[in-house]
Amino acid sequence: MMNQNVIVSDRKPILGSKTITISVSNSPLFSSPPTHFTFPRRKFLELLEAADKNSNKNNLGAGKIASWVDSMRDSSPTRLRSSSRDSVSDNNHKTSWIVRFPSALNMFDEIVNAAKGKKIVMFLDYDGTLSPIVEDPDKAYITHEMREVVKNVALNFPTAIVTGRSIDKVRSFVKLDEIYYAGSHGMDIEGPTNENTYGESDQGVLFQPASEFVPMIEKVVNILEEKTKWIPGAMVENNKFCLSVHFRRVDEKRWTALAEQVKSVLIDYPQLKLTQGRKVLEIRPTIKWDKGQALKFLLKSLGFEKSEDVVPVYIGDDRTDEDAFKVLRERGQGFGILVSKVPKETNASYSLQDPSQVNEFLKRLVEWKRKTVGEA
């Protein structure tokens, strides 16, 4: 089959034109004169939409599924190399990675020196950051010690938990009213709910950009629960504005089959997109909104959108947190801290290995704040 190249005509459109002209060349080098076709504008846009849907289906092919499964395997901290040669290579790679993304504990003085005279704003992921990754997502409890640390952080800095979980679920774990919650990957944002003497909250819902998708999410949750019930350990979690399909308790031999079931459902919903995390596939609306956009929104809500005297610090462990790390890189303000025991590409500036190190970092931050206030 001969390759064809399609070019939208470079002729300047006439205002209000009802047609669009494209050129098609059968030569990849455009050595032969192109053929011109004129379409009604509405028909052309319909063709583009259909092509986009077909592209979405192609992107959910077997190769993509294999990529998801391999990536989930590789992201597991317990996955070990078999040979000593691989072990030496891994050690060298990890050493190199630590040089690029040093421990936030080791570089603590550097971090707080950059924050002197400025306002720190804290953003924290939940799973894998404040709580350990566990087999049953419904039992990802935060420790009492970590809860007290987060509470102390919130008393000293504006603090938000930014998570893929629903706000109701993560609040039931954290049990703190002093912080901002951004659930469903930032598609559901609420402010601190400090109740007054009449039982009314000072702040409530701040932003819900995907509210129109709630009925669709509920429908897809029901379909997936039915389609995956034959796979032992499979769990579908409704996060209100998005949903998660957990692989944590599924035999690794069945991961591909579970991913196939997710793919078969998603093909019928082009308004939804799929992303992959640590032993989880997540389905979200295709709107341009993520944890990075939630970070921007919260900084704006706090009055720091254009401030040069703010230092946002975002701590997270998952691929979805990379959107927030990237925003901080682009702003040239603040720091992203990746929580990971294994080297991985990231837009963060520093690293911590696990929630226990996150706990230590947060405690030191509170101590530093109290000390600087006492010296003022």
Side-chain angles (χ1 to χ4, degrees):
M1 181 177 178
M2 188 174 292
N3 292 330
Q4 291 186 325
N5 297 281
V6 180
I7 319 164
V8 178
S9 175
D10 59 0
R11 302 171 187 170
K12 292 184 178 180
I14 300 173
L15 187 63
S17 172
K18 296 182 179 180
T19 62
I20 294 177
T21 300
I22 65 171
S23 299
V24 179
S25 172
N26 289 326
S27 169
L29 299 178
F30 299 96
S31 57
S32 58
T35 303
H36 300 286
F37 294 92
T38 299
F39 290 87
R41 179 178 293 273
R42 179 177 296 178
K43 180 64 176 177
F44 182 72
L45 295 177
E46 289 175 354
L47 289 172
L48 285 180
E49 183 178 1
D52 184 60
K53 289 181 180 179
N54 287 332
S55 176
N56 186 44
K57 291 181 180 181
N58 292 334
N59 287 336
L60 295 173
K64 187 65 175 177
I65 290 174
S67 175
W68 289 333
V69 172
D70 287 342
S71 183
M72 280 191 286
R73 289 194 183 108
D74 291 340
S75 67
S76 173
T78 58
R79 193 170 180 82
L80 302 176
R81 300 283 187 178
S82 57
S83 71
S84 60
R85 179 178 297 178
D86 284 340
S87 179
V88 171
S89 176
D90 285 350
N91 287 336
N92 291 337
H93 179 49
K94 187 169 185 178
T95 299
S96 174
W97 187 81
I98 287 295
V99 171
R100 293 173 59 202
F101 309 104
S103 167
L105 290 173
N106 294 340
M107 305 301 291
F108 185 80
D109 289 343
E110 177 180 284
I111 293 172
V112 294
N113 284 338
K116 283 184 177 179
K118 299 182 179 181
K119 186 75 170 180
I120 291 177
V121 181
M122 292 300 305
F123 298 91
L124 304 166
D125 181 29
Y126 184 77
D127 292 275
T129 299
L130 298 182
S131 74
I133 297 293
V134 295
E135 290 300 307
D136 185 349
D138 285 337
K139 296 181 179 179
Y141 303 120
I142 190 174
T143 65
H144 175 72
E145 182 185 5
M146 181 67 89
R147 181 180 293 109
E148 286 301 307
V149 170
V150 173
K151 182 176 181 177
N152 287 332
V153 169
L155 292 175
N156 288 276
F157 314 101
T159 301
I161 290 181
V162 187
T163 175
R165 302 269 197 159
S166 69
I167 284 183
D168 289 342
K169 173 67 74 173
V170 77
R171 185 185 281 114
S172 72
F173 287 146
V174 179
K175 297 182 173 67
L176 293 176
D177 295 328
E178 297 89 349
I179 61 178
Y180 290 83
Y181 289 93
S184 302
H185 298 288
M187 289 181 284
D188 190 9
I189 301 177
E190 292 186 6
T193 54
N194 299 317
E195 293 187 351
N196 58 30
T197 55
Y198 300 100
E200 298 172 337
S201 297
D202 294 331
Q203 290 191 17
V205 175
L206 296 178
F207 196 55
Q208 293 180 337
S211 55
E212 65 186 276
F213 289 91
V214 170
M216 183 183 297
I217 293 294
E218 291 176 348
K219 183 176 181 180
V220 173
V221 166
N222 292 334
I223 295 173
L224 278 171
E225 286 178 339
E226 181 65 27
K227 278 184 167 287
T228 62
K229 66 182 181 181
W230 62 274
I231 301 178
M235 175 180 174
V236 181
E237 182 177 10
N238 187 344
N239 298 317
K240 189 173 181 178
F241 297 99
C242 60
L243 66 96
S244 303
V245 181
H246 295 282
F247 287 62
R248 299 177 191 177
R249 295 191 293 175
V250 176
D251 188 314
E252 196 170 311
K253 295 177 181 178
R254 293 180 178 267
W255 283 8
T256 298
L258 180 53
E260 286 277 5
Q261 293 299 322
V262 177
K263 182 205 75 168
S264 69
V265 174
L266 195 61
I267 284 176
D268 295 328
Y269 294 89
Q271 306 96 321
L272 302 177
K273 64 181 178 181
L274 190 147
T275 58
Q276 174 256 317
R278 290 175 63 179
K279 296 186 180 181
V280 65
L281 291 178
E282 296 178 304
I283 296 175
R284 293 187 266 170
T286 54
I287 64 172
K288 186 176 173 56
W289 198 264
D290 51 39
K291 290 184 176 182
Q293 297 299 317
L295 184 152
K296 288 181 180 179
F297 176 86
L298 285 166
L299 286 176
K300 182 177 181 180
S301 299
L302 291 165
F304 296 126
E305 181 182 21
K306 297 180 180 179
S307 173
E308 296 182 359
D309 296 325
V310 62
V311 179
V313 178
Y314 189 108
I315 307 178
D317 76 307
D318 202 72
R319 282 191 175 190
T320 57
D321 299 309
E322 291 296 328
D323 295 317
F325 296 155
K326 185 177 180 181
V327 166
L328 295 182
R329 286 274 188 185
E330 292 172 348
R331 284 177 64 96
Q333 285 181 306
F335 308 100
I337 301 176
L338 175 68
V339 183
S340 179
K341 290 184 177 180
V342 297
K344 60 176 81 172
E345 283 304 309
T346 180
N347 284 299
S349 301
Y350 302 99
S351 64
L352 293 168
Q353 290 199 12
D354 51 37
S356 67
Q357 288 198 349
V358 174
N359 184 303
E360 179 63 24
F361 177 83
L362 295 178
K363 283 198 296 186
R364 289 179 64 178
L365 199 61
V366 170
E367 291 169 1
W368 168 81
K369 176 66 174 179
R370 288 172 175 171
K371 182 179 178 181
T372 55
V373 171
E375 293 175 349

